[in-house]
Amino acid sequence: MASMTSTITMLCVYNNHRHKCSSSSSFIPRVVLCHKQQQQHNNNDKKFDKIVQKIPRREIILKSSELAIIGAIFQFGGKKPEYLGVQKSTPALALCPATKNCISTSEDITDLTHYTPPWNYNGRGRKKPVSQGEAMEELLQVIKSTKADKSDPKIVEKKNDYVHVEYQSPILGLVDDVEFWFPPGKNATVEYRSASRVGNFDFDANRKRIKALRVELEKKGWESNERF
């Protein structure tokens, strides 16, 4: 889209709140999470891409220790997003940014890049239904025991109906934020969101991790509303 010289007013969405904001450059598509947060996210992406592009593929494998030091220096883990958690205006987990390294049950089902179906902890394979508290314990157990991509899970926040887990990669220290939320009601639904803090692509790492967790939970009687 061509750049506009005059200031324009556009509708931004942040934490499911709609408000007006101005732009003197080009129009920003889709969802604007937060100007400051997005700027920091972009700066981290540029640092990461600049370093990785200068390192041949073979050296990335052979020099993992050096990469770990580089990751620590440039803080590829990124800053924890301020918009995590259950949104206040409309109870739901946050939407994804435009980057292709995030999935969320809050997205529209037509968004094939970011949408992922919620879970039901009292699936058809469970003989005796369990309570939300029992389902939460099953979820925590699977989170702690499942390491699909060799990232170490760290539970940083836990409530009766919400869990926030950080997954950190062993080499560069990249951090993914994974959230699980049990909405109020009696339908045994679990919503979730999994997103990388930096970068534009994740090579389906978030989706694969969620699938690995779901496979283990299915052994306990959970199920997905639909397969992916």
Side-chain angles (χ1 to χ4, degrees):
M1 184 175 290
S3 175
M4 299 182 182
T5 56
S6 59
T7 300
I8 62 174
T9 300
M10 59 184 176
L11 188 65
C12 298
V13 179
Y14 172 55
N15 284 3
N16 292 334
H17 294 285
R18 294 175 177 268
H19 62 279
K20 290 184 178 181
C21 57
S22 297
S23 172
S24 58
S25 57
S26 59
F27 179 78
I28 303 175
R30 204 172 181 273
V31 177
V32 178
L33 295 174
C34 173
H35 178 72
K36 183 177 180 180
Q37 182 71 26
Q38 189 68 36
Q39 187 177 38
Q40 179 185 5
H41 181 84
N42 292 338
N43 290 338
N44 287 336
D45 291 348
K46 291 178 181 178
K47 291 179 182 178
F48 177 74
D49 294 339
K50 185 176 181 180
I51 292 298
V52 173
Q53 287 174 0
K54 291 184 178 181
I55 303 175
R57 182 179 178 183
R58 185 175 298 276
E59 290 186 19
I60 289 179
I61 299 174
L62 297 177
K63 298 185 177 182
S64 60
S65 60
E66 287 88 342
L67 283 173
I69 296 175
I70 293 174
I73 294 174
F74 285 90
Q75 296 181 333
F76 289 153
K79 181 181 179 181
K80 175 184 174 182
E82 298 177 356
Y83 50 82
L84 296 182
V86 180
Q87 310 302 293
K88 295 181 179 180
S89 58
T90 302
L93 297 177
L95 297 173
C96 289
T99 54
K100 298 180 179 180
N101 57 1
C102 171
I103 56 174
S104 175
T105 54
S106 297
E107 293 289 346
D108 189 276
I109 193 171
T110 60
D111 187 345
L112 301 180
T113 299
H114 301 102
Y115 173 75
T116 184
W119 294 336
N120 186 311
Y121 57 79
N122 280 327
R124 289 164 291 184
R126 192 185 289 275
K127 296 180 180 180
K128 182 179 179 181
V130 297
S131 65
Q132 177 182 310
E134 292 173 315
M136 173 65 81
E137 290 303 316
E138 290 179 343
L139 175 61
L140 293 174
Q141 180 183 357
V142 168
I143 289 173
K144 295 174 182 177
S145 61
T146 305
K147 296 184 179 181
D149 52 3
K150 298 182 180 180
S151 297
D152 293 324
K154 179 183 178 182
I155 299 175
V156 295
E157 184 178 358
K158 178 188 175 299
K159 300 178 181 178
N160 292 333
D161 61 349
Y162 174 82
V163 179
H164 173 205
V165 188
E166 291 180 352
Y167 285 85
Q168 186 172 31
S169 64
I171 298 179
L172 286 176
L174 300 171
V175 177
D176 295 344
D177 293 290
V178 184
E179 304 172 273
F180 301 93
W181 175 50
F182 293 70
K186 298 181 180 181
N187 57 358
T189 298
V190 178
E191 305 278 347
Y192 55 89
R193 179 181 187 273
S194 184
S196 304
R197 290 185 182 179
V198 298
N200 293 307
F201 302 91
D202 66 350
F203 302 100
D204 279 339
N206 285 287
R207 198 173 286 275
K208 290 177 181 178
R209 181 189 301 116
I210 287 296
K211 183 176 181 180
L213 293 172
R214 190 202 72 215
V215 169
E216 294 302 314
L217 288 168
E218 285 179 345
K219 299 176 182 179
K220 299 180 180 295
W222 293 48
E223 69 177 7
S224 176
N225 285 356
E226 59 184 82
R227 301 283 181 172
F228 68 92

